[in-house]
Amino acid sequence: MVKLGMIGLGHMARLVLNIWKESPDPKPHIVGVQVPPASLESARAYVDESVPVVDNLEDLLTLGPDVVMECATQGALRANGPEVLRRGRDLLVISNGALADEKLLDELREAARQGHARLLVPSGAVGGMGV
């Protein structure tokens, strides 16, 4: 079973969680969600009590995800994406507009090589926001 960590708990992440809750098994096991410190209380109230909510990347990675899904902002991708990849976790990028920044894209690619991880960019992510 794939172990999934999530960065962010905004609109897109909540859509993903709602779909996940209703999906038949087998489905990824959500090992944790990372949010900014100011959002900890509201995030804990939203997610199932079995899903840890943390406020930093180190704590999220300690929970042992195989894949980290960035569902936050372009800034969160810049701040966390390279380290996720360097640490050997695959990274699923929802804020794919950030990849127009060639410097960031090159940094993510290099981090993926260093960590022997994959940078995953799903198609249609922006279109799904209207759901």
Side-chain angles (χ1 to χ4, degrees), residues 59-80:
D59 287 349
L60 180 65
L61 294 178
T62 298
L63 296 169
D66 302 310
V67 178
V68 174
M69 180 171 60
E70 172 278 316
C71 268
T73 63
Q74 292 183 14
L77 176 61
R78 283 183 183 89
N80 298 295

Side-chain angles (χ1 to χ4, degrees), residues 104-117:
L104 175 61
L105 182 56
D106 288 344
E107 183 179 1
L108 291 168
R109 285 178 174 155
E110 180 57 28
R113 277 191 284 276
Q114 290 172 4
H116 304 286

Side-chain angles (χ1 to χ4, degrees), residues 29-60:
H29 171 66
I30 299 177
V31 298
V33 177
Q34 175 194 344
V35 298
S39 300
L40 279 171
E41 188 175 321
S42 63
R44 286 184 177 132
Y46 186 82
V47 300
D48 183 282
E49 62 188 35
S50 67
V51 177
V53 178
V54 299
D55 65 1
N56 63 79
L57 183 62
E58 184 61 35
D59 287 349
L60 180 65

Side-chain angles (χ1 to χ4, degrees), residues 1-5 20 27-31 64-67:
M1 175 180 297
V2 173
K3 295 181 283 182
L4 177 68
W20 174 83
K27 57 187 168 191
H29 171 66
I30 299 177
V31 298
D66 302 310
V67 178

